[in-house]
Amino acid sequence: MGGGLDAWDAFDHLQSLVGARLDRELVDSSRRGRFNELIGAFGVLPGVAELLSSAEAEGVLVAIASSSTSVWVDGHLQRLRLDGLFPVVITRDQAGAAKPDPAVYLKACEGLGVLPSEAVALEDSANGVESAKRAGLSVIAVPNRITERFDLSKADLVVPSLADISLERVRDVHASRSLLTRSSGC
């Protein structure tokens, strides 16, 4: 989660488990079909619409910084009818690297015209938390069903759902981190 395609090859792993050569195109086609069927059933996660609405009402800038490809991100934004809500969308295509490399966050902050120290990342993976921290952002981790068992302790706050957090709480987390950074001389 939160890594590039070179992080792990599931097909090679499957072949090693089966102990035989498999047809990559056939397996990939079947996997894509099933994946699209499953993911098509998911809507916007709880709390996302409310947080985006609050951000828009208060003039808070938002961006997407993703290790996925532009095709993937744009497709899901369109499917969920969230396209157009993010003035800046940076993917590994534009950044040239996937998380935990900080490039996607650095480019997203640049696109918004803010310093990383002025930004807060909402992340669901350990690689994402690492990426945002390395870029200099405050981080709130919101694990999903796959990443809930991962070590997200480097985040400034971990919440089970975006429905459990408000824009005010996001600001509080950032302010708390900023105060700690200043007082420790970092």
Side-chain angles (χ1 to χ4, degrees), residues 12-107:
D12 287 344
H13 181 69
L14 178 62
Q15 275 191 148
S16 72
L17 292 174
V18 172
R21 292 195 56 78
L22 301 172
D23 181 334
R24 185 181 285 267
E25 287 184 33
L26 180 63
V27 170
D28 195 45
S29 175
S30 177
R31 180 200 57 80
R32 267 194 320 269
R34 180 67 176 139
F35 180 81
N36 289 336
E37 177 185 321
L38 291 171
I39 204 158
F42 284 98
V44 177
L45 293 173
V48 170
E50 295 81 5
L51 203 52
L52 285 172
S53 179
S54 294
E56 182 179 26
E58 296 188 32
V60 174
L61 301 172
V62 294
I64 291 179
S66 177
S67 281
S68 295
T69 64
S70 296
V71 169
W72 170 266
V73 172
D74 293 342
H76 287 291
L77 288 174
Q78 290 170 8
R79 181 180 69 79
L80 296 168
R81 294 186 174 97
L82 297 175
D83 49 326
L85 296 180
F86 299 90
V88 173
V89 177
I90 302 296
T91 65
R92 73 169 179 246
D93 304 3
Q94 292 92 21
K99 299 171 185 176
D101 188 290
V104 292
Y105 276 110
L106 295 172
K107 286 195 173 286

Side-chain angles (χ1 to χ4, degrees), residues 137-167:
L137 284 73
S138 299
V139 182
I140 297 173
V142 188
N144 59 48
R145 290 188 320 180
I146 295 171
T147 63
E148 65 189 1
R149 292 188 177 101
F150 291 7
D151 179 9
L152 302 174
S153 62
K154 291 182 181 178
D156 298 295
L157 175 68
V158 179
V159 296
S161 167
L162 285 178
D164 298 324
I165 196 159
S166 64
L167 193 55

